[in-house]
Amino acid sequence: MTNPLDRIRVGSAPDSWGVWFPDDPLQVPWERFLDEVSEAGYPWIELGPYGYLPTDPARLTDEVNKRDLKVSAGTVFTALHRGPDVWDSTWEHVSQVAELTRAMGAKHLVVIPSFWRDDKTAELIEPPELTVRQWANLTKGMERLGHEVKERFGLDIVVHPHADTHIDTEEHVERFLDSTDSALVSLCLDTGHYAYCGGDNVKLIETYGERIGYLHLKQVDPEILADVVKNEVPFGPAVQRGVMCEPPSGVPELEPVLVAAQNLGVELFAIVEQDMYPCEPDKPLPIATRTRKFLRSCGA
């Protein structure tokens, strides 16, 4: 019998081990992450914040190979809505991550827009809504990034809608997709962030299927989310409250999302990311193991 979700490649990421920063005393050591993600049964990983895992390609290759792991993507943060003045500093960061990503044999670069409020203090850094000029900066900047990353590194960028960024709600995501060239820019659909911001994941996949280049699998606790929305809690403190929860206890229901993705007829990575910063060091592995078992029960 053929696996019904045979186009979905499941993996996990440092995020599911409470890793948000390259170096932080509250995070598990990278060796433990690699040991445990392999033990939990995930064959694919993302690099996480640049500098958390070894940045020497030879050393990192050795470390992942001996655990039977492979790398699916690197991750960068950008603020391209600020215009051409930030291009050089953005490209310096992107090049560093893209170089390692390519060296590890991965084909994707996950691009996350910058936050408009501080994820710890809730202080507004910028207005939540972009001006017309800023939208143009954002979309043209992402197209340029997609072109340059493909030309120089052979990678595809996948832009990640994210809570407390300018690409978050259904309205913003659709506006972004409608304003960018599908040949240059695809989407990393994070099921948890899109639900957190009120979006319908299955509808997005069915409507913009050709733009879905990558998936992050995540669920939201609807009761905690209701309180977060009501009290305008910023993303960081919301995570500390447990707004991102262990599947299958939250929303969206993941099996319909995976089936919709399978129906696109292309191979897609589906990387588990359960935001848990900060968390106790013994907490991630049991959750990761149960989540892998759950995903297998969905056919992934």
Side-chain angles (χ1 to χ4, degrees), residues 64-86:
V64 299
N65 284 351
K66 69 186 184 186
R67 296 171 175 89
D68 294 321
L69 296 170
K70 292 170 284 188
V71 175
S72 62
T75 302
V76 295
F77 284 85
T78 59
L80 293 170
H81 67 285
R82 294 177 189 163
D85 289 351
V86 301

Side-chain angles (χ1 to χ4, degrees), residues 13-33:
D15 187 41
S16 296
W17 267 256
V19 175
W20 277 12
F21 305 101
D23 185 36
D24 187 293
L26 298 178
Q27 297 175 170
V28 297
W30 63 266
E31 297 93 338
R32 180 169 179 176
F33 160 68

Side-chain angles (χ1 to χ4, degrees), residues 15 19 33 37 48 116 127 129 134 156 201 254 262 294 296:
D15 187 41
V19 175
F33 160 68
V37 74
W116 47 257
E129 293 290 336
Q134 287 173 322
D156 293 321
N201 282 272
L254 290 180
Q262 168 77 11
F294 166 70
R296 285 196 179 99

Side-chain angles (χ1 to χ4, degrees), residues 24-102:
D24 187 293
L26 298 178
Q27 297 175 170
V28 297
W30 63 266
E31 297 93 338
R32 180 169 179 176
F33 160 68
L34 290 179
D35 288 342
E36 292 188 353
V37 74
S38 176
E39 183 183 337
Y42 296 97
W44 294 93
I45 61 165
E46 290 184 2
L47 295 176
Y50 183 78
Y52 173 66
L53 293 175
T55 56
D56 174 61
R59 184 178 183 203
L60 185 56
T61 298
D62 180 57
E63 295 289 350
V64 299
N65 284 351
K66 69 186 184 186
R67 296 171 175 89
D68 294 321
L69 296 170
K70 292 170 284 188
V71 175
S72 62
T75 302
V76 295
F77 284 85
T78 59
L80 293 170
H81 67 285
R82 294 177 189 163
D85 289 351
V86 301
W87 176 261
D88 288 345
S89 58
T90 300
W91 183 250
E92 184 179 1
H93 168 57
V94 168
S95 298
Q96 214 174 23
V97 179
E99 189 73 63
L100 181 60
T101 303
R102 177 177 63 179

